[in-house]
């Protein structure tokens, strides 16, 4: 009986290993139809970008084909993509918001 009790205590004494959540980049993808001012509004509203930073990201989307909105844990990234996509569709814009592993 002493041995079994010793094994149980050994198992319970281990510290759980915490892992950092995997992060995802949320990006806006350029298209030829979504107005630039709408993209700026999305960046300010959903990603809490100051106006100057929102303009810089919008210009990256326009000139480089995509722009980084932020880096988030999976659940938050997925939610932001869904919210931006729904808003774009509601306003009849083809703006694409995607996520990729960091």
């Amino acid at each position: 009986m002493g041995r079994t009790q010793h094994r149980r205590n050994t198992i319970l004494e281990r510290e759980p290993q915490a892992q950092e959540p995997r992060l995802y980049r949320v990006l806006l993808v350029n298209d030829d139809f979504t107005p630039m001012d709408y993209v700026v509004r999305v960046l300010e509203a959903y990603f809490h970008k100051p106006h100057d930073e929102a303009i810089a990201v919008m210009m990256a989307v326009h000139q480089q084909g995509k722009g980084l909105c932020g880096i988030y844990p999976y659940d938050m990234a997925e939610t932001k993509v869904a919210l931006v996509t729904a808003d774009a569709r509601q306003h009849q814009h083809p703006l694409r918001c995607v996520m990729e592993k960091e």
Side-chain angles (χ1 to χ4, degrees):
M1 184 178 218
R3 250 184 174 181
T4 306
Q5 184 64 35
H6 176 70
R7 277 191 212 160
R8 271 192 230 158
N9 288 342
T10 301
I11 292 171
L12 295 176
E13 289 173 5
R14 290 185 197 167
E15 291 293 321
Q17 296 291 328
Q19 292 182 347
E20 293 293 320
R22 176 166 268 163
L23 297 176
Y24 290 79
R25 299 163 39 104
V26 176
L27 305 156
L28 291 180
V29 180
N30 191 40
D31 63 71
D32 293 333
F33 303 101
T34 304
M36 291 179 176
D37 61 329
Y38 176 78
V39 174
V40 170
R41 187 186 71 72
V42 163
L43 290 161
E44 292 172 341
Y46 292 102
F47 300 98
H48 310 289
K49 299 284 187 198
H51 188 72
D52 291 346
E53 191 175 339
I55 289 174
V57 174
M58 178 273 298
M59 289 305 295
V61 172
H62 180 68
Q63 295 171 344
Q64 299 163 18
K66 62 183 176 179
L68 178 64
C69 302
I71 300 172
Y72 306 96
Y74 180 83
D75 290 345
M76 187 176 288
E78 184 178 48
T79 298
K80 290 198 179 273
V81 168
L83 289 171
V84 170
T85 301
D87 190 88
R89 297 308 165 261
Q90 180 181 1
H91 290 91
Q92 300 178 346
H93 297 304
L95 180 65
R96 287 187 46 228
C97 186
V98 298
M99 58 191 263
E100 60 185 34
K101 289 181 186 175
E102 172 69 348

